[in-house]
């Protein structure tokens, strides 16, 4: 693999990257680390304007549908700095048909309606910074499709996490080249085995870890597994846009006997994953869901949504559920527990879906986007 020595890349990221966790934060920070190991100089950037011209060879944006991504793209295009985009995207139509409004659409709608509705819709915290507030409000006249079209037209290269996601992008009429980059995990931390587990865990349990929010669909899972012979343990904090959802999940957990834990330190999470009989991811879609990769790396059975690109990653070595069907959730959990744990999946995940490989693929995409000709002196 060619060295990235001398390449200077600007990672344009959300302002709350270090305070609000999530799979995207893990992807961004681990990709940065992998690129730096290859000799690429990476700078995180969360300002609404572009840096001084000539400071970087390339910028890297994340999320096709975030408003701050659009603001970054506008600034970069004006400054003449080329960029690539990790799209982290899957259509939300089915999720929204269930009566939910995705947080990104909520923010778009609020901004298009004006500052008063921004506050009313509970997104004031995202706009507390003066320069960002001005930049976001200035972008409000553009429609949702206009913003997506701008990103697809101006990106030098799109970096989806799967071929399935690449197909979705092709359906949107993209014009940039597409270079899939794997999502990834790492071996369990060395101190996971000795990590002190939360008190009160049942001797056997199935686990569902992740941010507690409607897209992750934990409420339906809790209700579907009421009376299941192996208790359900949920691990996660509420999503910032859905504070009421946690209360509904907690009420259902009390009624059905599920256990609810806050987000745990990484060694404890991996210890829980290793102890669990299976990990369940009932989301409306995943691309493919970092916690499912982590669960596979920890050696547990995988039960995951059949929406998104999950089959591309886990193939026949996982059990799949329909997030709209409670009976399907229960049947998938039963099917998984009837099978022995498969060490082959653990080995394959740790071999094929590594951050080192993601870094190499990302660097190759940079070279493709730049044509190996535009590296700063």
């Amino acid at each position: 693999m060619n060295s990235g020595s001398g390449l200077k890349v600007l990672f344009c990221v959300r302002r709350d990257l270090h305070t609000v966790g999530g799979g995207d934060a893990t992807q961004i920070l681990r990709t940065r680390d992998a690129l730096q190991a290859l000799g690429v100089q990476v700078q995180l950037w969360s300002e609404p304007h572009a840096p001084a011209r000539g400071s970087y060879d390339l910028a890297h944006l994340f999320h096709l549908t975030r408003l701050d991504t659009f603001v970054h793209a506008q600034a970069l295009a004006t400054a003449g700095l080329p960029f690539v985009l990790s799209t982290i995207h899957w259509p939300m139509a089915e999720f929204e048909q269930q009566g939910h409004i995705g947080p990104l659409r909520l923010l778009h709608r609020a901004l298009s309606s004006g500052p008063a509705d921004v506050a009313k819709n509970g997104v004031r915290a995202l706009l507390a910074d003066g320069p960002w507030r001005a930049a976001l409000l200035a972008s409000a006249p553009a429609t949702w499709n206009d913003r997506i079209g701008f990103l697809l037209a101006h990106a030098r290269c799109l970096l989806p996490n799967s071929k399935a996601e690449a197909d979705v992008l092709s359906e949107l009429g993209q014009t940039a080249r597409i270079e899939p980059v794997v999502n990834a995990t790492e071996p369990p931390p060395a101190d996971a085995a000795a990590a002190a587990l939360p008190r009160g865990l049942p001797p056997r349990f199935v686990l569902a870890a992740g941010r507690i929010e409607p897209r992750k669909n934990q409420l339906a899972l809790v209700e579907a597994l009421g009376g299941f012979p192996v208790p359900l343990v949920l691990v996660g904090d509420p999503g910032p846009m859905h504070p009421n959802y946690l209360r509904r999940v907690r009420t259902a957990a009390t009624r059905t006997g599920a256990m609810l834990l806050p987000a745990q330190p990484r060694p404890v999470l991996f210890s829980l994953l290793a102890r669990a009989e299976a990990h369940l991811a009932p989301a409306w879609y995943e691309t493919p869901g970092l916690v499912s990769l982590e669960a596979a790396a920890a050696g547990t059975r995988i039960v995951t949504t059949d929406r998104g690109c999950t089959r591309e990653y886990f193939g026949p070595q996982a059990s799949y559920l329909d997030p709209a069907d409670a009976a399907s959730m229960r049947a998938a959990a039963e099917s998984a527990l009837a099978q022995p744990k498969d060490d082959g999946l653990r080995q394959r995940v740790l071999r094929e879906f590594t951050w080192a490989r993601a870094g190499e693929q990302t660097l190759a995409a940079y070279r493709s986007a730049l044509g190996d000709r535009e590296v700063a002196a």
Side-chain angles (χ1 to χ4, degrees):
M1 184 66 200
N2 291 335
S3 169
S5 179
L7 193 63
K8 298 177 181 179
V9 178
L10 188 74
F11 271 28
C12 296
V13 300
R14 54 185 173 89
R15 290 180 64 248
D16 56 1
L17 181 72
H18 295 291
T19 57
V20 178
D24 66 322
T26 300
Q27 178 178 338
I28 290 167
L29 296 175
R30 293 292 185 272
T31 300
R32 175 201 61 183
D33 295 345
L35 288 168
Q36 288 178 333
L38 292 170
V40 179
Q41 299 178 49
V42 179
Q43 176 67 48
L44 300 182
W45 183 266
S46 59
E47 300 299 327
H49 58 273
R53 188 178 182 90
S55 302
Y56 298 91
D57 303 300
L58 186 73
H60 190 156
L61 277 60
F62 301 84
H63 291 284
L64 177 60
T65 55
R66 285 188 63 96
L67 266 175
D68 44 6
T69 303
F70 175 64
V71 171
H72 276 137
Q74 285 184 311
L76 294 169
T78 300
L81 178 60
F83 66 86
V84 302
L85 172 65
S86 289
T87 46
I88 316 179
H89 175 70
W90 198 262
M92 297 185 69
E94 184 183 24
F95 171 63
E96 293 176 342
Q97 287 169 3
Q98 310 305 310
H100 301 296
I101 300 176
L104 301 176
R105 280 198 187 272
L106 178 64
L107 182 54
H108 281 248
R109 177 183 298 179
L111 285 166
S112 297
S113 301
D117 283 336
V118 169
K120 184 172 66 177
N121 281 291
V123 294
R124 187 193 300 274
L126 298 179
L127 300 170
D129 179 89
W132 263 111
R133 181 182 181 87
L136 289 169
L137 289 173
S139 75
T143 68
W144 174 272
N145 289 333
D146 286 343
R147 293 176 181 121
I148 290 177
F150 182 91
L151 284 162
L152 296 179
H154 286 79
R156 288 283 185 92
C157 188
L158 304 178
L159 282 59
N161 289 135
S162 66
K163 294 178 181 177
E165 187 180 346
D167 291 341
V168 167
L169 297 173
S170 295
E171 293 171 3
L172 293 175
Q174 60 77 32
T175 58
R177 69 183 73 195
I178 296 178
E179 300 280 353
V181 173
V182 295
N183 229 329
T185 187
E186 54 199 8
D191 53 351
L197 295 177
R199 294 182 180 180
L201 284 172
R204 298 180 68 220
F205 59 91
V206 293
L207 190 72
R211 185 180 297 165
I212 309 296
E213 61 186 15
R215 187 182 74 78
K216 295 294 187 179
N217 208 26
Q218 292 97 340
L219 179 59
L221 180 67
V222 170
E223 293 173 341
L225 294 191
F228 196 68
V230 181
L232 171 65
V233 176
L234 298 174
V235 177
D237 291 335
M241 304 294 285
H242 300 283
N244 292 330
Y245 190 72
L246 176 63
R247 286 192 283 272
R248 297 177 63 195
V249 171
R250 184 178 287 120
T251 298
T254 299
R255 185 176 67 251
T256 61
M259 184 177 185
L260 186 57
L261 299 172
Q264 300 293 310
R266 193 164 184 78
V268 177
L269 175 60
F270 269 91
S271 184
L272 286 168
L273 290 169
R275 281 275 308 278
E277 297 295 326
H279 181 266
L280 286 66
W284 284 101
Y285 63 88
E286 292 286 9
T287 61
L290 287 182
V291 71
S292 291
L293 286 171
E294 291 169 343
T300 196
R301 303 173 181 91
I302 301 301
V303 180
T304 185
T305 180
D306 63 1
R307 311 297 208 269
C309 66
T310 53
R311 292 185 188 275
E312 194 171 317
Y313 278 72
F314 303 112
Q317 294 172 296
S319 297
Y320 296 91
L321 58 84
D322 180 343
D325 187 341
S328 171
M329 293 185 188
R330 197 175 182 97
E334 291 171 346
S335 175
L337 295 185
Q339 305 296 322
K341 290 188 175 182
D342 183 0
D343 192 60
L345 176 60
R346 183 188 67 82
Q347 294 182 24
R348 184 168 69 83
V349 164
L350 291 175
R351 181 177 65 252
E352 297 180 10
F353 304 119
T354 67
W355 291 116
R357 185 182 182 201
E360 292 170 355
Q361 291 176 331
T362 302
L363 178 56
Y366 291 169
R367 295 296 191 194
S368 178
L370 291 171
D372 278 330
R373 295 187 304 273
E374 300 178 27
V375 178

